[in-house]
């Protein structure tokens, strides 16, 4: 199975910088924004984007995590999934513009679960979606607002995202797919 | 996890995993909408052949917070009083489509029979069987201890280094049995304190030490003092001369409460016999975790039901 790196550390940093600027631009500043990462790597990305937007706008956007395990539509298939903590920033999400952050956008089912989870926690003014990689193959009418890299892929291929905080290495690679 | 019958079956990692999931479930209980859709469409039957308030309500609340459908069955007022056997009752439940059966039974081993007999293929949770085990009580006790001692830093930790004193009616106590196994699996050291008549035969094979005098035992370091209920309904012989003597020698009264070390917590699985094994002063003090134990019970049972009912059903062993 050939594995080929598509984003290096510098590419990831550039993509996150651009996403941070785009989030600030579309919101006309950092007011009323909340970043919620989807475990595991989305949480890391949300924290990094929060730090970057703090650098660019002077006021740091609160960042937290949103676990979607209990809202998945495939809980009765496969292995038992253990949940991760959900940490909502102290200000809550009512009336805020929530930006969901995930590493890879694929079928869209995780985001569907995240929207349901959000609904049980509060009522945001708007929900946006930022993703490091969009690999296509959507199964639901969901579309990202901020994308690091569009990566057209075959469904036989695997996209690996590795981040320093969680994996001790930093790259995005694409694996397999000779069957395509 | 297919069934939860005994804490002896749990490894340290299993137990820590259950407690960690329970932490996430506890977070949900602090929200405005205390409900998760995880077990939508699953049916949980509470099969109670013995009286219970908190355990049944706790399992019911746990299942409902996970969006499962709950059927409550109490032996009183059912066909059991017409002489229906456990097998027929169980198969009736299977025909209704139960995914999990939470069973409390006066006979030790009844949940084991349900789980292994092949009568039903639902997951079985032991909610107390005779004088054998009460695993979810031990899990919620461990969860309560872990939260009290480690707070928000509790995730992923066991109870290594803590010493737990379990006092009272050990012989009739499924809570004591389940706790003795679970707490030692989690690394705590457990001491039992009871009059010799209230200790079971074979207690020397348990992973615990035994003291006969409460005052001597409390003179040694103790992080947790767990008082057991004196189970009058199971006492068909003279286990101690009279209640006053029991209370004076093995009860946690206000004087013993005042002598406890700083940070020592007082636990009781409930229902309490105030004035017998525990004084009102001790039950209502800031050291007491009695009400925390009840609310933590819901979180722990949510974790158990979730782990039992989600994922692909493993093939019957």
């Amino acid at each position: 199975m050939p594995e080929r790196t598509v984003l290096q550390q510098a590419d990831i940093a550039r993509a996150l910088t651009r996403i941070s600027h785009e989030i600030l631009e579309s919101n006309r500043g950092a007011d009323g924004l909340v970043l919620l990462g989807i475990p595991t790597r989305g949480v890391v990305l949300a924290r990094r984007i929060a730090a970057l937007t703090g650098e660019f706008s002077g006021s740091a956007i609160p960042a937290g995590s949103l676990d979607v395990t209990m809202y998945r539509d495939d809980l009765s298939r496969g292995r038992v999934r253990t949940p991760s903590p959900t940490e909502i920033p102290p200000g809550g999400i009512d009336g805020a513009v929530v930006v969901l952050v995930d590493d890879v956008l694929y079928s869209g089912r995780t985001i569907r679960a995240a929207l349901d989870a959000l609904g049980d926690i509060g009522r945001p003014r708007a929900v946006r979606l930022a993703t490091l990689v969009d690999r296509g193959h959507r199964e639901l009418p969901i579309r990202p607002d901020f994308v690091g890299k569009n990566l057209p892929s075959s469904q036989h291929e695997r996209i690996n995202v590795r981040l320093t905080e969680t994996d001790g290495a930093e790259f995005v690679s694409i694996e397999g797919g000779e069957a395509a | 996890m297919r069934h939860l019958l005994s804490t002896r079956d749990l490894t340290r990692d299993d137990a820590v995993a259950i407690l960690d999931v329970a932490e996430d479930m506890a977070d949900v209980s602090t929200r405005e909408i205390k409900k998760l859709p995880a077990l939508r469409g699953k049916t949980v039957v509470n099969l109670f052949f013995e009286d219970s308030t908190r355990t049944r309500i706790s399992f019911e609340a746990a299942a409902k917070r996970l969006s499962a459908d709950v059927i409550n069955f109490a032996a009183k007022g059912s066909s059991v009083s017409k002489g229906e056997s456990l097998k027929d009752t169980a198969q009736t439940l299977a025909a209704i489509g139960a995914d999990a059966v939470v069973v409390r039974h006066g006979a030790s081993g009844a949940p084991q029979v349900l789980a292994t007999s092949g009568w039903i293929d639902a997951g079985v949770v032991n909610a107390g069987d005779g004088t054998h085990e009460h695993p979810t009580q031990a899990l919620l006790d461990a969860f309560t201890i872990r939260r009290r001692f480690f707070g928000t830093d509790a995730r992923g930790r066991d109870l290594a280094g803590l010493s737990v004193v379990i006092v009272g009616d050990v012989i009739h106590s499924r809570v004591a049995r389940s706790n003795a196994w679970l707490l030692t699996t989690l690394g705590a050291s457990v001491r039992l304190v009871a009059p010799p008549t209230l200790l079971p035969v074979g207690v020397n094979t348990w992973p615990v030490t035994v003291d006969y005098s409460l005052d001597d035992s409390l003179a040694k370091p103790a992080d947790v003092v767990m008082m057991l209920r004196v189970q009058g309904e199971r006492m068909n012989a003279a286990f101690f001369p009279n209640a006053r003597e029991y209370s004076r020698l093995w009860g946690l009264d206000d004087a013993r409460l005042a002598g406890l070390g700083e940070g020592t917590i007082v636990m009781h699985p409930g229902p309490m016999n105030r004035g017998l094994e525990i004084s009102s002063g001790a039950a209502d003090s800031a050291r007491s975790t009695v009400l925390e134990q009840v609310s933590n019970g819901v979180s722990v049972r949510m974790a158990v039901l979730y782990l039992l009912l989600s994922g692909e059903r493993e093939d019957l062993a």
Side-chain angles (χ1 to χ4, degrees):
Chain A
M1 289 257 171
E3 182 174 356
R4 133 180 100 81
T5 303
V6 283
L7 292 180
Q8 310 277 3
Q9 183 157 16
D11 302 318
I12 294 175
R14 251 197 308 277
L16 291 179
T17 304
R18 184 170 47 74
I19 289 175
S20 305
H21 279 298
E22 285 174 359
I23 290 173
L24 288 171
E25 191 179 33
S26 72
N27 191 60
R28 299 194 174 87
D31 288 348
L33 283 173
V34 173
L35 291 160
L36 291 181
I38 296 173
T40 326
R41 296 189 183 82
V43 181
V44 173
L45 294 173
R47 290 211 193 97
R48 289 199 200 169
I49 293 173
L52 287 168
T53 50
E55 244 171 71
F56 303 147
S57 72
S59 60
I61 296 177
S65 61
L66 178 70
D67 184 63
V68 306
T69 310
M70 298 286 154
Y71 296 85
R72 301 187 65 97
D73 56 9
D74 54 359
L75 276 180
S76 50
R77 295 149 189 248
R79 293 181 49 236
V80 176
R81 294 159 195 272
T82 46
S84 311
T86 289
E87 279 158 22
I88 302 298
I93 59 165
D94 284 325
V97 175
V98 170
V99 182
L100 296 173
V101 184
D102 204 358
D103 51 355
V104 179
L105 180 60
Y106 187 21
S107 65
R109 287 176 191 268
T110 303
I111 303 305
R112 201 268 324 147
L115 292 172
D116 283 355
L118 270 186
D120 280 358
I121 291 169
R123 186 177 186 280
R125 187 162 67 76
V127 183
R128 313 267 182 245
L129 174 58
T131 179
L132 181 60
V133 172
D134 181 356
R135 63 170 296 191
H137 304 291
R138 216 77 76 237
E139 292 164 8
L140 294 168
I142 280 168
R143 146 191 90 64
D145 300 277
F146 313 104
V147 182
K149 168 96 175 153
N150 281 301
L151 207 57
S153 61
S154 143
Q155 285 184 301
H156 303 286
E157 289 167 323
R158 252 186 84 78
I159 308 277
N160 300 314
V161 174
R162 297 288 175 264
L163 300 172
T164 314
E165 292 91 326
T166 48
D167 312 287
E170 181 116 347
F171 62 85
V172 176
S173 70
I174 188 161
E175 206 181 331
E178 73 281 357
Chain B
M1 194 160 65
R2 181 83 177 83
H3 306 289
L4 178 64
L5 302 175
S6 161
T7 54
R8 295 176 81 158
D9 307 334
L10 296 174
T11 64
R12 176 200 170 275
D13 292 347
D14 292 339
V16 170
I18 295 173
L19 300 185
D20 286 351
V21 174
E23 287 282 348
D24 294 317
M25 298 299 182
D27 288 347
V28 173
S29 305
T30 63
R31 293 189 199 155
E32 203 172 327
I33 299 178
K34 300 176 180 51
K35 205 158 177 94
L36 294 169
L39 298 186
R40 221 151 38 103
K42 307 276 188 190
T43 302
V44 175
V45 176
N46 284 329
L47 185 58
F48 277 64
F49 292 94
E50 255 187 12
D51 296 340
S52 158
T53 323
R54 67 203 74 221
T55 305
R56 188 182 57 73
I57 290 177
S58 183
F59 268 109
E60 184 172 352
K64 284 182 171 169
R65 282 195 187 164
L66 290 170
S67 304
D69 296 313
V70 182
I71 297 173
N72 282 316
F73 171 98
K76 274 179 200 152
S78 74
S79 291
V80 171
S81 49
K82 298 177 193 162
E84 189 174 62
S85 68
L86 180 62
K87 178 178 179 180
D88 289 332
T89 307
Q91 285 180 331
T92 305
L93 299 174
I96 288 170
D99 296 292
V101 177
V102 176
V103 60
R104 165 165 293 191
H105 201 287
S108 304
Q112 179 86 31
V113 170
L114 271 186
T116 56
S117 58
W119 298 337
I120 53 172
D121 59 1
V124 176
V125 183
N126 181 358
D129 58 334
T131 58
H132 177 225
E133 284 233 36
H134 191 354
T136 57
Q137 177 72 40
L139 285 163
L140 77 88
D141 289 338
F143 184 79
T144 304
I145 296 169
R146 202 175 74 153
R147 275 209 148 183
R148 271 278 178 134
F149 284 92
F150 306 120
T152 51
D153 198 24
R155 266 175 232 270
R157 301 185 72 143
D158 58 18
L159 304 176
L162 294 178
S163 60
V164 180
V165 184
I166 301 180
V167 188
D169 188 357
V170 176
I171 193 168
H172 298 115
S173 179
R174 46 202 180 206
V175 177
R177 277 174 188 71
S178 289
N179 265 311
W181 306 118
L182 180 69
L183 297 179
T184 46
T185 301
L186 285 170
S189 63
V190 176
R191 298 205 285 281
L192 302 178
V193 184
T197 49
L198 289 179
L199 286 167
V201 174
V203 73
N204 54 329
T205 63
W206 295 15
V208 300
T209 56
V210 175
D211 285 328
Y212 299 110
S213 156
L214 180 56
D215 287 318
D216 289 353
S217 196
L218 290 184
K220 293 180 265 183
D223 298 299
V224 178
V225 178
M226 186 183 295
M227 304 307 297
L228 299 172
R229 183 171 67 89
V230 174
Q231 303 196 20
E233 77 277 17
R234 293 188 215 273
M235 294 206 183
N236 46 12
F239 287 94
F240 48 82
N242 60 53
R244 205 139 41 107
E245 181 171 329
Y246 180 87
S247 178
R248 199 160 48 77
L249 290 175
W250 292 285
L252 186 63
D253 57 17
D254 294 351
R256 291 195 178 105
L257 177 73
L260 292 180
E262 201 182 338
T264 303
I265 62 172
V266 173
M267 309 183 78
H268 193 296
M272 293 184 281
N273 296 312
R274 286 177 187 248
L276 181 54
E277 72 264 4
I278 189 165
S279 70
S280 272
D284 301 330
S285 75
R287 296 176 185 279
S288 161
T289 62
V290 174
L291 292 175
E292 271 165 72
Q293 286 170 269
V294 177
S295 39
N296 289 340
V298 178
S299 308
V300 164
R301 290 176 177 122
M302 285 171 78
V304 167
L305 288 174
Y306 170 73
L307 293 171
L308 213 71
L309 286 176
S310 71
E312 204 112 35
R313 290 313 282 281
E314 296 159 40
D315 290 329
L316 282 169

